[in-house]
Amino acid sequence: MDTRFGHVTYTKLCIRHSTLNSFCKDFEIEIEKNTKSTSQSFKDHLLEDNFVYFLLENKTFILIYDLDYYSDKTIEIIANKIGRKEQEIEEYLKIRKYKIDPKYPFRYISSYKIDYDLGGYYNFLKYNKDLLYEGNFEFRRRPS
């Protein structure tokens, strides 16, 4: 299997490099610890096989994240999407001093990142090197 960062992002996950970087940053997934440096260009770094399977297992959520991240949203849309009150979202953005671009309101911020920061359940995105991600994944989906 080709595990180059560029190949995995474009061909296997069908997203941009920057999307995967943002996704990993937003959900505290340490992508650097799961790569092997082979060149100066990060897109040519090799990802560990098990980490690639972890990403593929979460491909549907990554694609949903991608659509959400790049779409224009309002506070109301964000609140409805993640099941939170608008006031919670407003307070979150105020505390984080998020600057609103009048041309693209709330683009380039993930509704799911906001929910994650507010304590939403995203344990399925905790990568564990000791687990094999190729094969049956149902036991990792159940809440502990």
Side-chain angles (χ1 to χ4, degrees):
M1 167 172 40
D2 187 351
T3 63
R4 283 179 300 118
F5 182 82
H7 178 77
V8 171
T9 54
Y10 284 132
T11 307
K12 301 225 181 280
L13 299 174
C14 306
I15 59 172
R16 304 169 183 93
H17 298 133
S18 59
T19 301
L20 185 57
N21 284 327
S22 296
F23 177 80
C24 289
K25 181 181 168 213
D26 284 354
F27 293 101
E28 300 172 16
I29 300 168
E30 297 175 343
I31 195 167
E32 296 83 16
K33 287 187 175 182
N34 300 295
T35 60
K36 301 170 204 158
S37 178
T38 56
S39 73
Q40 295 287 9
S41 174
F42 191 75
K43 69 179 182 173
D44 290 328
H45 287 200
L46 298 177
L47 298 173
E48 292 178 1
D49 288 351
N50 197 42
F51 187 67
V52 173
Y53 286 119
F54 165 77
L55 294 173
L56 292 174
E57 184 176 293
N58 292 293
K59 180 178 179 176
T60 302
F61 183 73
I62 293 170
L63 291 173
I64 292 168
Y65 170 90
D66 179 58
L67 289 171
D68 176 67
Y69 186 82
Y70 292 103
S71 66
D72 293 332
K73 302 172 278 298
T74 63
I75 289 176
E76 180 184 12
I77 290 170
I78 294 169
N80 288 334
K81 186 175 287 188
I82 60 176
R84 300 260 180 191
K85 294 180 180 174
E86 289 182 38
Q87 184 179 357
E88 284 182 280
I89 308 304
E90 289 170 359
E91 288 173 14
Y92 173 90
L93 295 170
K94 187 176 181 180
I95 290 169
R96 302 283 184 304
K97 296 179 180 158
Y98 183 76
K99 294 182 177 128
I100 300 170
D101 182 346
K103 189 174 178 185
Y104 302 112
F106 304 110
R107 187 185 283 189
Y108 308 120
I109 186 168
S110 167
S111 304
Y112 304 104
K113 162 68 171 158
I114 294 170
D115 191 37
Y116 175 76
D117 287 345
L118 293 174
Y121 181 79
Y122 292 88
N123 286 347
F124 63 95
L125 293 176
K126 299 295 180 202
Y127 177 66
N128 183 342
K129 282 185 173 212
D130 297 330
L131 295 176
L132 273 177
Y133 286 88
E134 183 180 13
N136 186 355
F137 59 88
E138 287 303 315
F139 76 96
R140 286 190 297 278
R141 297 284 181 201
R142 286 188 217 114
S144 312

